Amino acid sequence: MGDDGNAGAMWVSQASAGHLLQLIRSGQATTRGELQRVTGLARSTVSSRLDQLFGAGWIREAAAGPSTGGRPAMHLEFDAQHGVVLAAVLETRHGRAAVLDLAGGILAEHVGDLLIDVGPEKVLGQVGDWFAALLEELGVDAGAVCGIGLSVPGPVEASTGTVVQPPIMPGWDGYPIPDRMRQVFRDQLGGDPAVPVLVDNDANLMAFAEQRLGYPDCSAFLLVKVSTGIGAGIVVDGRIFRGIDGGAGDIGHIRLHDAAEALCMCGSYGCLAAVASGRALARQLTDMGIPTASGSGVRELLSVGQPDALRLARSAGRRVGNVLATVVTLVNPGVLMIAGDLAGAPFVTGVRELLYQLTMPRTTTHLEVVTSRLGDRAGLTGAALHVVEHLYAPAQADLRLAGRIAA
């Protein structure tokens, strides 16, 4: 069916240039003929819409394989080198910033001290300095930046990019992070103040990256990050599940019946994070005469096999496994990934002990319990991929091609 008849209007709305790009990026259709068959568009219309994508520099055509004589078969692919994304991961005591290509590959990276509790003005200004230095290092102009992604350790209202009552981010509640980041991008990097800035919770973005790059066929993916706090990211059918206002996965503040005296950073007593997070273990070790400042300090002790740290990590894993028994039963994931400062053998062993003990065999028969593949770079990669998915989603791509928003 072509796009010229009465029924053609339906195909046009569902097979714009942006939709063709989605088919190419997903691998569903990577030749002109496949695009015609999948969309029902006429050959001339497919060519016209591909011309838009070629003109924007978003796709390229390459030989599908070695030539066997005659004209080689050509396939279409997304050009991940036509722009860059800036991404930053904000933690409580340090941060990471990077320039990435549009496939999530890190081109340049910086890791440095950063205190989240000094407030958004100073923190985002510091991130801007890091971005500027990285672009200068690469010799890349700010005009090549397609978008900015930020990962933060708190619940985020995705439509506005604001954090909502974050327990470990004093001064950030309701702050307009995207607006400030665009201002920083303009003032410190000379960039376009209309550049899209996307903000999301750290566990969400880590889960998105790990699922997309490591487990693309897993339709229900659960990542639990245990560092300063405890949070979970859930990816269902390739999309981050956030709940109605960004609060999904905030398992660190589930109350435990036997920890009523443990004061949490949120101000409540008995939260899981108050007894099983990196911060909690650091406090417990310090009380035992082993000064430990943070979850990263616990991580260092675990790496050298410090006996008390190993014991506490396993106990914390059992605490988390107790809660995850309910979460896993409800979500029924194919993969449960443990990430963060405590994601080593002692903690994971503790998780497994309680998880398998408290769940029905059917719940865990097809469950893989694994640790992070991307490690410390999961957040950066997830933040960048989140921006790319936004930029090249069909409707957004069509608006950019039409010049109605910045390309």
Side-chain angles (χ1 to χ4, degrees):
M1 179 186 294
D3 66 333
D4 299 321
N6 292 333
M10 178 184 71
W11 287 111
V12 172
S13 64
Q14 294 301 314
S16 63
H19 284 89
L20 265 59
L21 178 63
Q22 184 180 47
L23 292 170
I24 293 167
R25 291 184 63 229
S26 67
Q28 291 177 264
T30 59
T31 68
R32 293 169 186 263
E34 288 173 352
L35 289 170
Q36 287 176 243
R37 287 193 295 273
V38 170
T39 64
L41 294 176
R43 180 177 181 178
S44 60
T45 306
V46 168
S47 293
S48 175
R49 293 182 181 168
L50 288 178
D51 285 344
Q52 290 181 270
L53 300 175
F54 280 119
W58 294 356
I59 62 171
R60 60 191 175 196
E61 205 163 23
S67 175
T68 57
R71 184 176 179 181
M74 304 296 286
H75 77 280
L76 301 159
E77 60 186 22
F78 181 65
D79 185 355
Q81 310 303 317
H82 76 261
V84 298
V85 172
L86 302 178
V89 173
L90 311 183
E91 300 282 3
T92 55
R93 301 170 66 89
H94 70 276
R96 291 177 176 268
V99 182
L100 302 95
D101 64 26
L102 302 180
I106 294 178
L107 305 176
E109 180 182 9
H110 175 81
V111 181
D113 294 334
L114 179 150
L115 297 176
I116 200 77
D117 57 8
V118 302
E121 293 283 332
K122 290 184 178 179
V123 168
L124 296 178
Q126 186 172 351
V127 169
D129 289 340
W130 291 350
F131 284 156
L134 290 171
L135 288 176
E136 182 177 0
E137 174 188 331
L138 290 171
V140 173
D141 186 82
V145 175
C146 297
I148 301 172
L150 297 177
S151 164
V152 298
V156 176
E157 208 295 306
S159 64
T160 61
T162 57
V163 291
V164 182
Q165 299 178 2
I168 59 175
M169 298 177 68
W172 291 75
D173 184 25
Y175 184 84
I177 298 174
D179 291 343
R180 172 59 177 160
M181 195 69 246
R182 280 189 284 266
Q183 181 185 43
V184 167
F185 185 59
R186 179 195 65 198
D187 295 345
Q188 295 178 216
L189 287 83
D192 182 354
V195 67
V197 176
L198 274 63
V199 184
D200 210 332
N201 169 262
D202 51 3
N204 283 348
L205 294 176
M206 292 170 68
F208 187 63
E210 297 277 10
Q211 187 274 336
R212 183 60 58 91
L213 298 182
Y215 300 88
D217 297 326
C218 181
S219 61
F221 181 94
L222 173 64
L223 178 142
V224 177
K225 180 188 179 187
V226 188
S227 290
T228 298
I230 301 175
I234 306 168
V235 179
V236 177
D237 292 334
R239 294 178 174 272
I240 297 171
F241 178 78
R242 298 185 175 85
I244 60 171
D245 62 4
D250 201 7
I251 64 171
H253 300 287
I254 291 176
R255 307 288 176 81
L256 305 180
H257 67 86
D258 59 347
E261 302 302 317
L263 177 62
C264 182
M265 284 290 293
C266 72
S268 298
Y269 287 86
C271 293
L272 178 64
V275 295
S277 66
R279 181 191 293 270
L281 266 62
R283 184 183 64 250
Q284 293 168 36
L285 286 164
T286 299
D287 290 345
M288 296 167 60
I290 308 167
T292 312
S294 64
S296 58
V298 177
R299 182 179 185 172
E300 292 172 5
L301 291 174
L302 291 172
S303 69
V304 297
Q306 206 284 332
D308 293 301
L310 294 174
R311 176 179 55 80
L312 290 175
R314 183 164 179 170
S315 176
R318 290 173 59 85
R319 288 279 198 181
V320 174
N322 192 3
V323 169
L324 287 179
T326 300
V327 176
V328 166
T329 300
L330 180 64
V331 177
N332 190 209
V335 174
L336 166 61
M337 177 175 284
I338 309 298
D341 289 331
L342 302 190
F347 185 89
V348 175
T349 297
V351 169
R352 287 176 178 272
E353 287 174 356
L354 265 288
L355 179 63
Y356 290 113
Q357 177 183 328
L358 299 177
T359 55
M360 295 288 289
R362 183 191 178 284
T363 303
T364 53
T365 296
H366 302 292
L367 176 68
E368 293 184 64
V369 181
V370 300
T371 54
S372 172
R373 290 186 173 188
L374 298 176
D376 291 337
R377 289 181 162 182
L380 288 174
T381 304
L385 292 178
H386 187 210
V387 171
V388 172
E389 288 301 306
H390 167 76
L391 289 170
Y392 299 99
Q396 189 78 359
D398 288 332
L399 288 174
R400 294 172 68 207
L401 289 169
R404 293 171 60 183
I405 56 176

